[in-house]
Amino acid sequence: MAIELRPLEQFAIERIVPLHIGGIDVSYTNAALMMTIAVVAATTLMVVATRRAALVPGRWQSVAEMLYEFVADMVDSNIGQGGRQFFPFVFTLFAFILFANLLGMIPYSYTTTSQIIVTFALAAVVFILVTAIGIIRHGFYFLSLFVPQGVPKVLLLLLVPIELLSYCIRPFTLSIRLFANMLAGHTMLAIFGGFAASLGILAFFPTAINVLLVGLEFLVAVLQAYVFAILTCLYLGEAVHLH
Amino acid sequence: MSEREPPDPLAGLGERIDRARAQHVRREPATGDRAALQQGVGFGFRIGLELVVAIGVATALGWAIDHWLGTRPWGIIILFFLGIAAGMLNVYRAVSGINAPVGYRYPPSTPGGDLEDEDEN
């Protein structure tokens, strides 16, 4: 009896509520459902945890406070002065990605961050926001970001395009890093799970590896949310201070 | 029961928190080896990605420019090499700890920040 291995099946998008507006498919899909759940879960956690705020925090309040302090620390140390006004943005981003990643770890759920369009949309928002803030704060002087200091004029012809390119590549690295990590991890889990299903008595070995991999995946889920948030902070800090 | 002054529940709290924090810091070096390895792997992955994505995106951009302006093959050639340069630049910056600032400006005084933290990967 052969068991079909389809490790990529878990990433399939399914329409839950088919909906077409003006020839555009805006169906409510399983990915959209998981995103809604992530938003609702994160909001619920913060609301419930802070509703009965006590001086000595309970369990839920501790979680919320840890999350808050973690992001506040990150914002303070990476944006520095005037960074607190970006705290809501960074916190929302971090909480959403963290919840999306962690909810994806529940068996039979769906990992929205394994869709590149989702991560790219997030990265594009960051990119546009950073550029807009830089231009609003510094006007044309923002373009001086692309002109290295103390370089002969002739070399600028070469260096400015390189700087510009390395700036424009950011949303791609930002989104591909998150997407690739989640996609690769979940595919690996499915492959080893498939091995376990097809090996019979020898299934112990792939199962053991899978147990370890699940732990690793939890690490990756949290770490990638952190990386996304901290890079956002670095980019914001750069646009605010222009170094 | 409530006749005497109730003890302040927060009396020793600050001290206790400090003690817990100190313990936490002290425990860290023990797991340092494995953590360092994991960080290294993550960092390596980031470096590789940085280079590959830079080249890929730049080449795609060059192809698109060629497609629109009919300048084949110059756009793709020039942007391919620019992509390599940009990727190298990003890698160099990530490795040398100034993370990803565009431009060569080293901050004279970091605005309350530690820009040389490499623990993010």
Side-chain angles (χ1 to χ4, degrees), chain A residues 77 144 147-148 163 170 227 238, chain B residues 93 100-102 104-105 113 121:
Chain A
S77 63
S144 73
V147 184
E163 294 285 359
R170 279 177 182 180
V227 167
E238 199 180 289
Chain B
R93 284 191 183 134
V102 173
Y104 281 106
R105 259 155 272 193
N121 42 48

Side-chain angles (χ1 to χ4, degrees), chain A residues 11-79:
Chain A
F11 302 116
I13 299 268
E14 281 148 24
R15 292 185 185 82
I16 296 173
V17 185
L19 197 63
H20 294 264
I21 296 176
I24 299 168
D25 191 355
V26 287
S27 307
Y28 193 73
T29 60
N30 50 355
L33 177 68
M34 284 312 290
M35 278 190 262
T36 315
I37 293 174
V39 171
V40 170
T43 314
T44 313
L45 171 70
M46 294 316 285
V47 169
V48 168
T50 54
R51 201 181 40 191
R52 282 193 310 260
L55 201 48
V56 178
R59 248 174 265 158
W60 290 104
Q61 198 187 337
S62 282
V63 171
E65 281 180 6
M66 258 163 63
L67 215 56
Y68 172 88
E69 271 182 23
F70 182 68
V71 178
D73 255 13
M74 184 156 69
V75 168
D76 280 346
S77 63
N78 287 298
I79 305 183

Side-chain angles (χ1 to χ4, degrees), chain B residues 61-104:
Chain B
L61 195 69
W63 182 85
I65 288 173
D66 279 344
H67 199 70
W68 285 327
L69 304 178
T71 50
R72 183 163 302 195
W74 293 108
I76 206 165
I77 290 174
I78 292 168
L79 272 160
F80 175 72
F81 286 108
L82 280 184
I84 292 176
M88 290 286 186
L89 193 66
N90 281 348
V91 167
Y92 172 73
R93 284 191 183 134
V95 171
S96 59
I98 43 178
N99 278 305
V102 173
Y104 281 106

Side-chain angles (χ1 to χ4, degrees), chain A residues 74-94:
Chain A
M74 184 156 69
V75 168
D76 280 346
S77 63
N78 287 298
I79 305 183
Q81 229 174 4
R84 275 301 167 101
Q85 56 184 309
F86 301 111
F87 175 81
F89 176 69
V90 177
F91 187 86
T92 310
L93 208 58
F94 177 71

Side-chain angles (χ1 to χ4, degrees), chain B residues 11-115:
Chain B
L13 188 63
E15 198 187 314
R16 256 158 59 209
I17 289 174
D18 282 346
R19 221 182 308 137
R21 285 228 171 105
Q23 265 174 5
H24 181 67
V25 171
R26 234 180 292 132
R27 219 180 303 133
E28 251 169 1
T31 55
D33 258 10
R34 184 172 298 168
L37 182 68
Q38 258 160 10
Q39 256 171 24
V41 169
F43 196 63
F45 183 69
R46 176 186 162 196
I47 297 302
L49 187 85
E50 204 88 55
L51 196 61
V52 170
V53 169
I55 297 173
V57 170
T59 312
L61 195 69
W63 182 85
I65 288 173
D66 279 344
H67 199 70
W68 285 327
L69 304 178
T71 50
R72 183 163 302 195
W74 293 108
I76 206 165
I77 290 174
I78 292 168
L79 272 160
F80 175 72
F81 286 108
L82 280 184
I84 292 176
M88 290 286 186
L89 193 66
N90 281 348
V91 167
Y92 172 73
R93 284 191 183 134
V95 171
S96 59
I98 43 178
N99 278 305
V102 173
Y104 281 106
R105 259 155 272 193
Y106 289 85
S109 61
T110 340
D114 39 358
L115 272 172

